[in-house]
Amino acid sequence: MPIKLKPSSKIRDKATGKFITEHYYLKSMTIQELNDYIESSSAKKKIIQKCKNEIARRNKWTVGIMEKI
């Protein structure tokens, strides 16, 4: 299972009445959003470490591509 920042939420569209499920996966967030969460005062240590691991994973991925070029 992918790592989540917080639990999924169901949002009701007022115009159509349909429910949309919004997921908060770390892999779908931008690096700026991850850094903002790390620097926030209400951040939990366990989630901060997950964000740091995601940033490190992305950096390894981009470095690997640049070495092949």
Side-chain angles (χ1 to χ4, degrees):
M1 293 292 299
I3 302 168
K4 287 186 178 180
L5 179 65
K6 55 185 176 181
S8 299
S9 63
K10 286 176 68 175
I11 301 171
R12 183 178 172 269
D13 187 7
K14 292 182 180 181
T16 61
K18 294 181 179 180
F19 286 97
I20 300 169
T21 305
E22 187 172 350
H23 301 285
Y24 299 100
Y25 295 120
L26 289 180
K27 66 180 183 180
S28 63
M29 299 179 73
T30 63
I31 292 179
Q32 183 62 39
E33 290 174 335
L34 293 173
N35 284 329
D36 290 343
Y37 186 81
I38 290 170
E39 295 171 359
S40 69
S41 62
S42 63
K44 297 179 181 177
K45 290 182 180 180
K46 184 176 182 179
I47 306 296
I48 289 174
Q49 187 59 46
K50 289 181 180 182
C51 291
K52 288 179 180 179
N53 291 342
E54 179 67 20
I55 292 171
R57 183 187 70 84
R58 290 185 194 184
N59 287 339
K60 288 179 187 175
W61 183 74
T62 56
V63 169
I65 289 176
M66 296 305 288
E67 289 175 354
K68 290 180 183 177
I69 294 178

